[in-house]
Amino acid sequence: VFAQPLAVRLLLFGRKAHCELWRTSGDLHDHWQQVRDYFDVAARWAPHAGPGHWPDGDMLPLGMLHLRPWRQAPDPHPTRLTRDEQTTLMTLWCIAQSPLMFAGHLPGNDAWTLALLTNPEVLAVNQHGAAAHELFRNHDAIVWVSEAPAGRYIACFNTGDTALTVRVPFRELGLPASCAVRDLWARRELGVCADTCAVELPRHGAALCHVSPG
């Protein structure tokens, strides 16, 4: 209900001046199909994001969840999203600059979940990117881009059920043919690439990179 055209029209008539963030969808639970569906919602709201007014994709259902304490089952339970799906969720929220609010039980986090939530280079995309938008879709491959200090942030997603390789031509980023690429999740340099950034992604997986003139 939050993402209907009426809401968009209200924002365009000045609501952004009085609202620091707003929900763009119903509650997000730990189901892959909901994460997959949110790509469409995020793309529609991206033009309205900016300093002082941010589209909110809801809290992050990661780690140990206890959503309905008055029910005996299935709570508490670890998130039903796979690790690749959790990485996709965190990557989309960061590149789209959604507010990052954790829905899990912090003391119950394992080391992997803590690393997912606290990677400083990934969080910098959420905090310092600008003009984020979906660059293109090609069947199951989706690519987002945002402006970054000294280059671009690019997020590549595989929403399908089989592994694939996603290729992003530098010319589509407004960058020269030779660019340096850094993997932000792995926090390592991938070297200088010619013409294209190519990443191999597992099913439901994602990659997040910083690309700058090499």
Side-chain angles (χ1 to χ4, degrees):
V1 64
F2 293 96
Q4 294 304 310
L6 175 60
V8 176
R9 291 198 295 270
L10 289 174
L11 287 170
L12 293 178
F13 281 106
R15 293 301 190 271
K16 286 191 289 188
H18 307 288
C19 186
E20 293 182 352
L21 63 89
W22 57 87
R23 282 283 297 277
T24 56
S25 67
D27 292 344
L28 178 73
H29 296 292
D30 50 331
H31 298 291
W32 166 247
Q33 190 57 51
Q34 280 194 293
V35 177
R36 174 63 184 85
D37 291 345
Y38 193 75
F39 280 92
D40 297 328
V41 178
R44 289 199 299 270
W45 284 102
H48 304 290
H53 44 272
W54 305 105
D56 172 19
D58 198 17
M59 299 175 73
L60 298 163
L62 306 173
M64 184 62 69
L65 304 178
H66 198 168
L67 303 178
R68 297 178 178 86
W70 57 89
R71 293 186 181 180
Q72 293 183 354
D75 295 321
H77 69 273
T79 182
R80 286 167 287 198
L81 299 173
T82 68
R83 287 190 172 184
D84 289 327
E85 291 166 356
Q86 292 177 69
T87 299
T88 288
L89 172 60
M90 191 71 178
T91 301
L92 179 58
W93 260 234
C94 283
I95 192 75
Q97 294 185 281
S98 172
L100 300 176
M101 294 177 282
F102 182 60
H105 180 55
L106 281 171
N109 280 347
D110 58 15
W112 188 90
T113 303
L114 185 61
L116 180 77
L117 297 171
T118 59
N119 184 315
E121 297 188 29
V122 171
L123 295 178
V125 179
N126 180 266
Q127 296 296 300
H128 303 301
H133 61 279
E134 184 182 292
L135 184 65
F136 66 79
R137 293 193 190 199
N138 185 8
H139 301 292
D140 294 327
I142 300 176
V143 174
W144 275 63
V145 62
S146 70
E147 297 176 5
R152 302 287 188 274
Y153 294 125
I154 58 171
C156 302
F157 303 94
N158 174 12
T159 61
D161 293 330
T162 58
L164 57 76
T165 299
V166 178
R167 294 178 171 84
V168 184
F170 293 143
R171 66 177 180 273
E172 295 196 25
L173 304 174
L175 294 174
S178 179
C179 288
V181 180
R182 181 173 177 82
D183 183 330
L184 301 184
W185 277 115
R187 300 175 68 180
R188 64 183 179 91
E189 302 294 341
L190 300 182
V192 175
C193 300
D195 299 320
T196 300
C197 175
V199 293
E200 297 182 5
L201 300 176
R203 66 186 298 270
H204 304 175
L208 185 58
C209 298
H210 179 268
V211 180
S212 58

